């Protein structure tokens, strides 16, 4: 099929490459000229494993091209996927301006019937607004649909090629048929529903995952209070097949471009409907408090105060295998520590800092603070690290290291909910 993908960020770029991989003719569009000029040369402006190879494969196969020209992208497209950003506004509600602007641009260039699909994460009220904008700017017939995206940064290509489910929110049988055809190569269960339900499925999924994380973080605080082990509690809890193990790792809490903003957007959307989503506010609150809780642990390790201490942050990305720092826990933590007078050294495997490796970043440090559990941190030589640090203290914000092993090396170890 002929597919236009609007917005070539994490979702749009991966979707473009994957639609090309499964046999479609794809045109990716962005308003960011420098991004498009890099993509045309086969360079991926983000870090996402496997993406550059797939991109180059389909630039070569001719199934994927890029443009900044709406007329070129829209004129032959049968399916138009809106994948633009939906960042939060200061009040937590989502900023619709990119989606509405894309809708207006589509309408201005529509020459034949197309199915316009909102893939960006948006509240259900958006569909009608988008419809109004398009109808006000064209007389060409179209259908609206919604196919929320569930890929995870860091494994986005694999997730998009092997999704756990495909949600088709449609208003006509023609849109359903075309969207089924677009996804026919993917072997995942397909759920056909309305756009509103599809959009709520997306928000509910992220809110549920955020809830699991905040729940286990609250349990970890109880573990700290009585000397219990959150790892054992989680293992035991997760052996219940009704609960499972996933998303129950106590730590610094969730960040990233989705969980925080989608949680806030759902709270704001509920409010607009007259419902106080107090439950989700608490999930968000626990997540915010977790940083302060961790800082209180850091403070407790320095009886002479933390002002002037050098702390080395390992991991800046909001999670491993990405370079995305949106709402990263590292940023919030670092800002708070700096306000307390801490001197920050930082290292991340893909985000450039003044240090070229973790060992350099740890020289003369008063503490190591693990924020993002990149696998390479598991292979660190702690004997070497201990020799170069000023004080051998480790704050493990992801319960990632083996405390027994570190204590044997005479490190002081602080995890979350574990001794
Ligand atoms: N990043 C994820 O892991 C993820 C996962 C699932 C869903 N989502 C959702 O997908 C959407 C996109 O997220 P993202 O992380 O890819 O965002 P992003 O910020 O990485 O990319 C958005 C892109 O849209 C472009 N853009 C803005 N306005 C435009 C317009 N009018 N026309 C064309 N392009 C325009 C921007 O230049 C940018 O390149 C969001 O709603 C997000 O919540 C993201």
């Amino acid at each position: 099929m002929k597919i236009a993908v609007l917005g070539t960020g994490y979702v749009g770029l991966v979707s473009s490459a994957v639609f090309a991989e499964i046999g479609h003719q794809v045109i990716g569009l962005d308003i960011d000229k420098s991004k498009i000029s890099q993509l045309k040369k086969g360079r991926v402006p983000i870090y996402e494993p496997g993406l550059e190879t797939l991109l180059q494969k389909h630039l070569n196969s001719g199934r994927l091209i890029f443009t900044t020209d709406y007329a070129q992208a829209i004129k032959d497209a049968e399916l138009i996927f809106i994948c633009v950003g939906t960042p939060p506004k200061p009040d937590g509600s989502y900023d619709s301006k990119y989606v509405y602007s894309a809708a207006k641009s589509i309408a201005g260039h529509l020459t034949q019937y197309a199915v316009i699909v909102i893939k960006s994460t948006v509240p259900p009220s958006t569909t009608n607004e988008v419809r109004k904008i398009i109808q006000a700017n064209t007389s060409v017939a179209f259908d609206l649909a919604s196919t929320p995206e569930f890929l995870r940064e860091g494994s986005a290509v694999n997730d998009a090629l092997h999704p756990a489910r495909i949600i088709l929110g449609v208003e006509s049988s023609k849109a359903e048929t075309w969207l089924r055809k677009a996804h026919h190569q993917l072997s995942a269960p397909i759920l056909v529903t309305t756009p509103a339900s599809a959009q709520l499925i997306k928000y509910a999924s992220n809110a549920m995952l955020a809830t699991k994380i905040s729940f286990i973080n609250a349990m970890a605080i109880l573990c700290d209070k009585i000397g219990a082990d959150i790892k054992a509690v989680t293992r035991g809890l997760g052996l219940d097949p009704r609960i499972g193990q996933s998303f129950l790792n106590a730590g610094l809490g969730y960040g990233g471009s989705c969980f925080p903003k989608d949680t806030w957007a759902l709270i704001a959307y509920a409010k607009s409907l007259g419902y106080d989503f107090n439950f989700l506010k608490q999930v968000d609150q626990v997540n915010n408090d977790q940083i302060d809780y961790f800082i209180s642990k850091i403070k407790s390790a320095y009886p002479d105060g933390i002002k002037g201490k050098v702390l080395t942050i390992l991991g800046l990305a909001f999670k491993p295998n990405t370079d995305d720092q949106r709402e990263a826990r590292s940023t919030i933590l670092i800002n708070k520590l700096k306000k307390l007078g801490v001197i920050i050294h930082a290292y991340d495997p893909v985000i450039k800092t003044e240090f070229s490796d973790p060992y350099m970043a740890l020289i003369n440090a008063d503490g190591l603070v693990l924020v993002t559990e990149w696998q390479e941190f598991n292979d660190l030589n702690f004997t070497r690290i201990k020799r170069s640090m000023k004080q051998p203290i480790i704050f493990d914000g992801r319960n990632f290291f083996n405390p027994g092993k570190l204590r044997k090396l005479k490190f002081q170890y602080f995890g979350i909910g574990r001794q």
Side-chain angles (χ1 to χ4, degrees), residues 238-288:
L239 284 172
D240 184 330
R242 294 169 304 175
I243 298 172
Q245 300 280 351
S246 67
F247 278 80
L248 289 175
N249 297 320
L252 268 169
Y254 57 83
S257 66
C258 291
F259 289 1
K261 85 162 170 68
D262 292 348
T263 307
W264 302 330
L266 187 53
I267 293 168
Y269 179 59
K271 188 178 171 194
S272 76
L273 300 174
Y275 176 61
D276 182 358
F277 212 146
N278 206 18
F279 170 83
L280 214 45
K281 287 182 188 166
Q282 292 307 310
V283 169
D284 182 49
Q285 190 61 50
V286 169
N287 197 51
N288 290 337

Side-chain angles (χ1 to χ4, degrees), residues 6-12 29-32 35 70 83-86 98 101-102 120-121 149 151 153 202 257-258 261 326:
L6 311 182
T8 56
Y10 288 86
V11 166
L29 173 142
D30 208 288
I31 50 170
D32 182 334
K35 207 176 244 187
Y70 259 97
C83 301
V84 301
T86 49
Y98 302 105
S101 156
S120 300
T121 305
E149 180 54 62
L151 61 77
E153 286 178 25
K202 175 63 192 174
S257 66
C258 291
K261 85 162 170 68
R326 287 178 284 185

Side-chain angles (χ1 to χ4, degrees), residues 78-140:
E78 297 163 289
L79 290 168
I80 301 168
F81 285 88
I82 301 178
C83 301
V84 301
T86 49
K89 291 204 285 200
D91 69 352
S93 64
Y94 100 107
D95 192 341
S96 54
K97 69 170 179 258
Y98 302 105
V99 173
Y100 292 172
S101 156
K104 195 164 177 201
S105 304
I106 294 169
H109 296 94
L110 212 55
T111 54
Q112 58 178 20
Y113 169 87
V115 179
I116 299 166
V117 192
I118 305 174
K119 197 177 245 317
S120 300
T121 305
V122 296
S125 49
T126 306
T127 311
N128 272 339
E129 291 305 315
V130 166
R131 189 190 330 276
K132 279 189 222 155
I133 291 169
I134 300 176
Q135 280 171 345
N137 291 283
T138 186
S139 52
V140 179

Side-chain angles (χ1 to χ4, degrees), residues 164-178:
R165 79 277 216 201
I166 296 167
I167 307 293
L168 305 182
V170 291
E171 297 176 324
S172 75
S173 56
K174 189 164 182 182
E176 179 187 338
T177 307
W178 283 26

Side-chain angles (χ1 to χ4, degrees), residues 179-256:
L179 280 168
R180 280 186 183 275
K181 202 171 156 197
H183 293 91
H184 78 282
Q185 293 255 10
L186 302 174
S187 61
I190 293 182
L191 176 79
V192 180
T193 181
T194 61
S197 299
Q199 286 150 355
L200 282 188
I201 288 168
K202 175 63 192 174
Y203 278 114
S205 301
N206 280 356
M208 174 60 87
L209 295 173
T211 299
K212 287 183 93 175
I213 294 169
S214 281
F215 171 76
I216 208 65
N217 280 338
M219 290 301 299
I221 293 174
L222 287 190
C223 287
D224 271 340
K225 285 190 185 295
I226 61 166
D229 177 7
I230 192 66
K231 289 266 188 187
V233 171
T234 304
R235 255 196 319 279
L237 176 69
L239 284 172
D240 184 330
R242 294 169 304 175
I243 298 172
Q245 300 280 351
S246 67
F247 278 80
L248 289 175
N249 297 320
L252 268 169
Y254 57 83

